[in-house]
Amino acid sequence: MTLQTLRRNAAVFLAVLRQEIQTIAQYRWWLLAMQVSVIVVPLISLLVWRGAISHGAEPPVGRVYLTTYLVLVSLVTMLTSSWSAKFLAESIRLGRLNTWLVRPCSTHLAVAANNIAEKVAKLATLLPLVAALVVAFHGDINLPTQPGRWLLFVWALAMGATMTFSLDIVVGSLAFWWHDVSAVDRFRQLILLFLSGALIPLAVMPSAWDPFLDVQPFGYIVAFPIDTLLEPRASDLRVGLAIQAVWTLFALAAARAVWRRGLRLYHGAGA
C-alpha cells in the first residue's frame, strides 16, 4: 500500500468518522439507556459474588480481584466489541457494497468509522457509571499506579478490538456464500460471551479448564486486557501478550483471506 493510498484512506476515514459522530450524537438518551443496561449485568454478578464470599464461599480468586474485574468488565467489553457483521452481510446481499467497491479506498472504512464513533459516544456515557461503581466499592478496588501497566492495558484493548472486528468481517463475509449468516453470528456472540470472560470471570472457571482457557482466542478479547491491570506476574503478562498477538494476526489474516476470496464471487446482486 503506497503512501498516497494511506493518505486517501485516512482522509475518507476522518470524513466518515465526523459524519458518524454527528449522527450518533442525536441519540444521547438511547446511548444512556444502553450503557445503563450494559453495566447492570456485571453489577448483579458483583453483588452475588460479594454476597457469596461474605457467607463463606471461597472462589479461586479473592474479593478484591472479583470486585475490580467486574467493575471494569463492562468498560472493556464495550471498547473491544464490534457489531458490523450483520451490516456487512446486508450490504453484500442487497448489493450496497457496490458503492464502496468503486471508490479508491478500503471497503471497510465506513464500518470501522461507525464502530469507533459509537464507542467514543458510549465511552462518554459509560465512564461516569463505571466511576460511580469505583467510588461505591473503592475499598475493594485495586488498580496499578505504574504507567507501563496502563500502556499494556491500552495495547491489549486495541488488540482485542482488532480481533473482534476481524471476526466480524469473517462472519459478515460468509454472506458471499450464504443467504443468511445471522445464526452463525448469534452462535459466535454466544461463544464470545462465555469464553471471553464478559459474563463470568475466567479466573473462577474450573482449574481443569486452565490449559484450554489459556490458549483459546476469546479470552484475549476481554479477560486478558483486564488481567494486564490485575495480574502481578510479569512473566504471565509476556506470555499472554505473545499469545494475543498471534491470535490477532491470525484473525487479520483470516479476515483478509475470506474477504478477498468472497469478492471473486460477488456480482452485486440486488443493486
Side-chain angles (χ1 to χ4, degrees):
M1 184 178 293
T2 66
L3 181 60
Q4 183 180 3
T5 302
L6 287 174
R7 288 176 176 173
R8 183 169 57 240
N9 283 342
V12 173
F13 176 77
L14 290 175
V16 177
L17 182 63
R18 285 193 296 269
Q19 181 181 0
E20 290 288 344
I21 290 176
Q22 292 171 358
T23 301
I24 294 169
Q26 301 176 29
Y27 300 94
R28 293 183 293 272
W29 293 110
W30 171 79
L31 285 171
L32 177 60
M34 176 177 288
Q35 298 319 297
V36 169
S37 66
V38 164
I39 208 168
V40 164
V41 173
L43 176 58
I44 293 174
S45 296
L46 174 58
L47 295 176
V48 169
W49 278 109
R50 288 171 66 89
I53 292 172
S54 66
H55 284 84
E58 297 182 359
V61 291
R63 182 188 185 106
V64 171
Y65 178 96
L66 279 172
T67 302
T68 308
Y69 185 100
L70 291 169
V71 165
L72 293 176
V73 71
S74 59
L75 180 65
V76 172
T77 301
M78 184 275 290
L79 289 174
T80 59
S81 62
S82 180
W83 45 88
S84 307
K86 65 178 181 179
F87 300 111
L88 179 59
E90 285 180 2
S91 70
I92 293 171
R93 187 173 65 252
L94 301 178
R96 292 198 297 262
L97 185 62
N98 294 349
T99 59
W100 282 95
L101 290 177
V102 297
R103 298 179 184 181
C105 58
S106 172
T107 53
H108 299 306
L109 286 180
V111 289
N114 172 266
N115 189 279
I116 293 175
E118 194 163 320
K119 284 179 180 178
V120 170
K122 288 178 178 178
L123 187 63
T125 307
L126 186 59
L127 271 180
L129 299 176
V130 174
L133 291 183
V134 170
V135 172
F137 299 102
H138 67 277
D140 289 322
I141 299 291
N142 183 24
L143 293 171
T145 56
Q146 307 96 318
R149 295 290 289 275
W150 287 97
L151 289 175
L152 284 179
F153 174 66
V154 172
W155 174 261
L157 278 178
M159 293 297 98
T162 302
M163 287 176 62
T164 311
F165 188 76
S166 299
L167 289 174
D168 256 21
I169 294 176
V170 171
V171 174
S173 297
L174 295 178
F176 285 121
W177 294 274
W178 300 344
H179 180 72
D180 187 2
V181 301
S182 58
V184 177
D185 192 32
R186 284 196 297 270
F187 181 74
R188 185 275 304 256
Q189 294 292 348
L190 180 62
I191 295 297
L192 179 62
L193 184 66
F194 182 68
L195 291 181
S196 69
L199 185 62
I200 303 171
L202 298 184
V204 302
M205 295 288 192
S207 58
W209 294 17
D210 286 349
F212 167 70
L213 294 176
D214 288 342
V215 298
Q216 57 92 16
F218 303 107
Y220 293 91
I221 294 175
V222 175
F224 179 72
I226 299 177
D227 281 341
T228 59
L229 298 177
L230 304 182
E231 173 58 60
R233 291 172 294 188
S235 59
D236 290 344
L237 290 180
R238 285 194 292 268
V239 172
L241 287 168
I243 296 174
Q244 187 189 43
V246 170
W247 278 120
T248 302
L249 291 174
F250 179 80
L252 285 169
R256 178 180 174 83
V258 175
W259 177 255
R260 290 172 67 88
R261 186 174 180 84
L263 281 180
R264 299 192 188 104
L265 306 174
Y266 182 66
H267 298 293

